[in-house]
Amino acid sequence: GAGGEAARQDAGGRSAEARAALEQARWFEAQIVVADRRLGAAILKSPARGFVLTRRPRDLVGTVVEAGRTVLEVAEAGRWRIEIKVPQELVPSVRAGLDATFSTPALPGESFAGKVSSVGASAEAGTAEPVFPVAFEADDPGGRIRSGMRGQGHVHLGTRLLGARVIGGAWRWLRWKIGV
């Protein structure tokens, strides 16, 4: 009778509460999946083994970046782009493909060799005598060179050696730019 009907109503009420709780649990699980997907999309992975060059990357935590903006600059380990300054009277003799070397007092007795990759089209501003930037890439498998090192760079012109003091120093080749 009435007691059985009350028991059925009570069981039905609990069943509705159970269904509501189950639906809420499913909704939370779906939100976790969405959050995991967003987190996975927010992780930046470098396509090469190397070093982060961006100063103070921790300052970027929590920021929102517009599409296409560079977030982190990464330099490939063991590969450097070295820039030397060549006086204007010697620049016509320099061309891509020539052998070049770099040495620094910070690493006495060591020299890093490569080939000229570019010759600046215009002189650098702010120098007393006009100088042109000449860049070459050099291998550093031991990872001994550091960004900003200064030293002596040389371009080999056949039987002559063109020496030029490195004014700007060596800097990591910003080969990989990672953007969001």
Side-chain angles (χ1 to χ4, degrees):
E5 182 63 29
R8 275 195 307 274
Q9 292 289 338
D10 188 40
R14 277 186 260 150
S15 173
E17 288 174 10
R19 279 193 304 274
L22 183 60
E23 288 299 317
Q24 188 176 23
R26 286 183 183 149
W27 184 83
F28 282 129
E29 288 172 1
Q31 293 303 308
I32 289 171
V33 168
V34 168
D36 280 345
R37 199 172 293 143
R38 285 182 179 168
L39 181 61
I43 295 172
L44 300 177
K45 292 184 180 179
S46 175
R49 187 174 162 268
F51 306 94
V52 173
L53 294 179
T54 303
R55 292 189 186 272
R56 299 174 18 189
R58 290 182 192 266
D59 293 350
L60 300 171
V61 173
T63 61
V64 177
V65 181
E66 70 251 15
R69 180 175 171 255
T70 299
V71 177
L72 296 173
E73 292 177 325
V74 177
E76 183 179 2
R79 191 90 179 136
W80 284 90
R81 178 179 164 107
I82 298 170
E83 185 176 288
I84 61 175
K85 312 301 180 199
V86 175
Q88 69 179 355
E89 62 274 7
L90 298 174
V91 130
S93 302
V94 180
R95 67 182 183 285
L98 290 175
D99 290 330
T101 57
F102 170 73
S103 60
T104 175
L107 302 166
E110 293 189 60
S111 183
F112 302 90
K115 298 221 178 261
V116 172
S117 57
S118 67
V119 179
S122 61
E124 291 196 349
T127 57
E129 295 294 320
V131 292
F132 290 75
V134 172
F136 66 95
E137 296 171 20
D139 288 324
D140 177 25
R144 295 172 309 274
I145 298 176
R146 296 289 181 262
S147 182
M149 280 186 169
R150 293 175 184 253
Q152 202 71 18
H154 301 277
V155 176
H156 304 269
L157 303 173
T159 57
R160 291 188 321 151
L161 179 68
L162 165 64
R165 181 156 163 41
V166 177
I167 295 169
W171 45 278
R172 272 284 185 200
W173 181 20
L174 305 179
R175 186 171 179 180
W176 305 104
K177 289 188 180 252
I178 300 174
V180 174

